[in-house]
Amino acid sequence: MMFIAPLAGGSAFASVLREIPANAARMVMIFAGSNAVTIKADSFFKSNTVLKLSAGSQIRDTDNRIVLPSYVAGEFKVRAQLDNNGQIHRVWILTPAEIAAPDPKQ
């Protein structure tokens, strides 16, 4: 009889496998429950900027699960990619370890 141990700490396992593309920009994003987000001013955007989510946008939480925009509320440090129309296409809400890690070299 073969015994397979269950994986403990599913969220820890998911975060180990999570790969965020190097071209995803680090930013602070404010979700307000609509199809738009506010990007706080930084080196990427010189002033607070409101951007729409693309039709096929994906938001991944700290456990790497895809979540609906209406389920995310508040201000988060993220890495995100824009599409060719300047809309938010992919978002990864960062864990404390990812926030502390340096940006990858491009």
Side-chain angles (χ1 to χ4, degrees):
M1 179 181 201
M2 186 177 193
F3 177 76
I4 299 176
L7 293 175
S11 64
F13 182 72
S15 65
V16 171
L17 297 179
R18 180 156 125 147
E19 291 187 29
I20 300 172
N23 68 347
R26 187 182 294 252
M27 59 186 70
V28 176
M29 192 173 283
I30 302 169
F31 294 88
S34 64
N35 275 347
V37 296
T38 300
I39 310 299
K40 289 188 91 174
D42 64 3
S43 60
F44 194 72
F45 290 99
K46 299 300 180 196
S47 62
N48 285 1
T49 305
V50 176
L51 294 176
K52 289 186 176 186
L53 297 173
S54 69
S57 65
Q58 285 185 359
I59 300 169
R60 292 189 177 269
D61 67 8
T62 55
D63 292 322
N64 212 34
R65 297 174 295 205
I66 296 175
V67 294
L68 297 173
S70 59
Y71 289 171
V72 183
E75 181 176 306
F76 297 93
K77 292 183 180 181
V78 303
R79 301 246 329 259
Q81 293 177 315
L82 303 178
D83 67 8
N84 292 334
N85 297 320
Q87 296 179 328
I88 299 292
H89 186 59
R90 299 282 185 261
V91 177
W92 292 265
I93 298 174
L94 300 177
T95 65
E98 291 167 337
I99 291 168
D103 284 338
K105 295 180 182 177
Q106 293 191 19

